[in-house]
Amino acid sequence: MARTGWRGSRTRVRLWRWRRSPLRRRTDVVEAWLLLAVWVLAVAGGLVAGLVTADAGARSFDRLRAERHEVSAVLTRDAKDSVSPVAVDDHHVWADVRWRGRDGSVHVGQARASENAHAGDRVTIWTDDHGALVSAPPQHGEAQVEAAILGTLAGGAAGGVVWAAGRVVRGRLMEGRMRAWDDEWARADLRWGGRTG
């Protein structure tokens, strides 16, 4: 709350909602505690949500790295002869490959290979425990960055939800104050013979 001094300068009154004053309403005290609670919950809740999410993300990425295995596959035909409607990038295409699973079974599929690769050349692929093709898991550094981004987003979202809920409650308090003020004016109007409205 700002107050104008006798020379017109504005002075800041700190913690005015908690000070004793005949003008202080109960809703002012409720609003002060609400604002304090919202700030504490938004910061603490956002921090906890961010840390928990980042930790869960890091564990999930660690599990992916443990479940996926790097395997050497052999091109079954020249990369340029493979049926590949879409090139991966300027110098890579999807080529037909064959590999052995951890149980010794033979699998076939398509993997990225240089457009100049020939039948019999080896490419590196990633498989799951059953030998099925999967995407490469994120490296440790990438996983840490992704977990940090997830944690930041979750923390911001949790803090934002608390802040928005506080705004809604504060708006309801303001509506209640306006209704009480209208009621006071209506009573004053009756006392003064209907001359205020």
Side-chain angles (χ1 to χ4, degrees):
M1 177 178 174
R3 192 166 60 176
T4 304
W6 64 276
R7 291 187 181 184
S9 64
R10 291 171 57 100
T11 58
R12 190 99 175 130
V13 179
R14 302 213 183 273
L15 303 174
W16 67 272
R17 286 184 173 99
W18 280 291
R19 288 184 163 183
R20 295 208 182 277
S21 168
L23 300 177
R24 184 185 72 182
R25 298 161 292 197
R26 187 176 345 144
T27 58
D28 293 331
V29 176
V30 170
E31 185 177 12
W33 284 109
L34 173 71
L35 288 173
L36 180 64
V38 163
W39 276 105
V40 169
L41 287 175
V43 171
L47 183 62
V48 168
L51 291 173
V52 167
T53 302
D55 182 56
R59 282 188 279 119
S60 175
F61 294 134
D62 288 343
R63 189 172 52 253
L64 274 180
R65 279 196 303 277
E67 292 172 352
R68 297 184 178 187
H69 314 286
E70 196 172 16
V71 175
S72 180
V74 178
L75 268 68
T76 57
R77 62 173 126 171
D78 292 349
K80 62 181 179 184
D81 295 335
S82 294
V83 178
S84 176
V86 179
V88 176
D89 57 31
D90 290 340
H91 303 288
H92 291 87
V93 294
W94 289 106
D96 296 327
V97 294
R98 181 181 64 243
W99 69 95
R100 286 198 181 275
R102 300 180 98 194
D103 60 357
S105 59
V106 176
H107 301 272
V108 293
Q110 286 193 329
R112 265 178 47 134
S114 169
E115 62 186 359
N116 298 324
H118 299 288
D121 288 351
R122 293 198 168 273
V123 294
T124 301
I125 61 169
W126 288 87
T127 63
D128 61 13
D129 290 333
H130 305 292
L133 277 173
V134 292
S135 60
Q139 298 299 319
H140 183 69
E142 294 171 346
Q144 285 183 324
V145 170
E146 288 183 32
I149 290 171
L150 288 172
T152 301
L153 291 174
V161 166
V162 171
W163 180 81
R167 291 283 294 188
V168 168
V169 173
R170 193 172 179 204
R172 296 285 167 86
L173 285 173
M174 184 64 77
E175 288 172 9
R177 274 189 226 142
M178 291 298 109
R179 279 194 302 274
W181 198 16
D182 286 344
D183 293 344
E184 286 292 322
W185 273 110
R187 282 194 294 273
D189 193 32
L190 290 174
R191 279 195 306 259
W192 294 336
R195 292 175 296 179
T196 61

